Amino acid sequence: MSLSTLQPGYRALVLGSSGAIGAAFVAALQADSACAEVVGASRRDDARLDWLRPDDAQVALAEWAALGPWDVVIDATGALTIGGVGPDKRMHDWAPEALTRQWQVNAMGPALAMRVLMPSLAKGRRVIYAKLSARVGSIEDNHKGGWAAYRSAKAALNQFLQTATIELARQRPLAVVAALQPGTVASDLSAPFVSADQALSPARSVAGLLSALDGLETTGRAHFVDHRGQAIAW
């Protein structure tokens, strides 16, 4: 898979590179002959990159930003079960600490990453900023209820991404920004809820996501798409 719409010799940064999807992004980009460099960042490699420790995370992010300009930034961070607490099933399960942690990890942390890393994207050419989101973050697509903390965090993430895109487009009109729904991927995140044989492989999901990103138009607005390239209602 090649990001054919980027100029040859493009450089990429992947946050969350030790996770199943993040690692698959790194592998796929490394296999692209047009990609000159892929840098992976994760909590496993740098303990400061922890959204529950925002001050430390911002220092680490600034160091990654200083290595730019980047043509591609992919934020593959996120968590469904945090501190041993899984997704809620009903209103009775809503607890302040669990809600706060979900928003820290899945909304506020990624928002800080946008604030620091979007300005490190290259100017004057097509660039990509992509963030793993989730279909359950779609308010319109919510037909089952449950998982309110995770859903609301992803919905907030999507709003941060859309707002940041509008600002980014003023200086980088060729930037493409996208919230990505990877599908149900075989990973530590999905393991408690679906068996591996019922899930997509990380490589297959990422191949679809990269293809989708390559085909997105520059509109000055963020896109919300799945691994098949299909648009998702915000």
Side-chain angles (χ1 to χ4, degrees):
M1 176 61 212
S2 173
L3 288 174
S4 60
T5 55
L6 298 183
Q7 70 173 26
Y10 73 83
R11 301 177 67 239
L13 172 67
V14 179
L15 299 183
S17 59
S18 63
I21 298 176
F25 267 117
V26 170
L29 293 168
Q30 287 176 334
D32 184 357
S33 60
C35 184
E37 182 182 17
V38 183
V39 175
S42 71
R43 285 188 302 164
R44 183 175 299 174
D45 302 319
D46 188 338
R48 297 174 301 170
L49 199 62
D50 183 342
W51 301 145
L52 295 175
R53 298 162 53 194
D55 291 340
D56 290 346
Q58 287 184 86
V59 173
L61 289 167
E63 293 176 3
W64 297 118
L67 297 177
W70 302 103
D71 298 280
V72 179
V73 174
I74 296 174
D75 183 350
T77 63
L80 179 55
T81 298
I82 303 173
V85 179
D88 55 83
K89 296 181 179 180
R90 53 183 180 161
M91 288 188 286
H92 178 76
D93 298 330
W94 297 353
E97 184 176 359
L99 291 170
T100 299
R101 286 190 172 188
Q102 278 289 340
W103 296 335
Q104 282 180 301
V105 171
N106 290 309
M108 289 185 281
L112 292 176
M114 295 173 210
R115 184 178 70 83
V116 176
L117 295 176
M118 279 188 172
S120 72
L121 288 168
K123 291 184 176 180
R125 57 181 184 262
R126 181 181 171 94
V127 291
I128 294 172
Y129 193 101
K131 173 69 187 89
L132 284 190
S133 185
R135 190 180 300 275
V136 296
S138 168
I139 295 174
E140 184 174 337
D141 194 61
N142 184 357
H143 304 292
K144 295 182 179 180
W147 291 27
Y150 186 70
R151 285 181 185 275
S152 62
K154 290 296 187 179
L157 163 68
N158 290 350
Q159 184 68 280
F160 277 123
L161 201 63
Q162 188 66 269
T163 301
T165 302
I166 294 169
E167 183 175 340
L168 179 68
R170 294 170 188 154
Q171 293 190 334
R172 291 167 178 78
L174 298 179
V176 170
V177 179
L180 303 177
Q181 156 61 15
T184 302
V185 177
S187 66
D188 291 341
L189 183 148
S190 67
F193 308 98
V194 63
S195 61
D197 61 347
Q198 294 178 311
L200 290 170
S201 70
R204 182 180 174 188
S205 171
V206 164
L209 293 173
L210 289 174
S211 178
L213 287 170
D214 208 37
L216 293 178
E217 296 182 357
T218 301
T219 64
R221 304 282 292 179
H223 301 269
F224 190 8
V225 297
D226 66 17
H227 68 284
R228 295 165 296 187
Q230 296 180 351
I232 300 171
W234 293 99

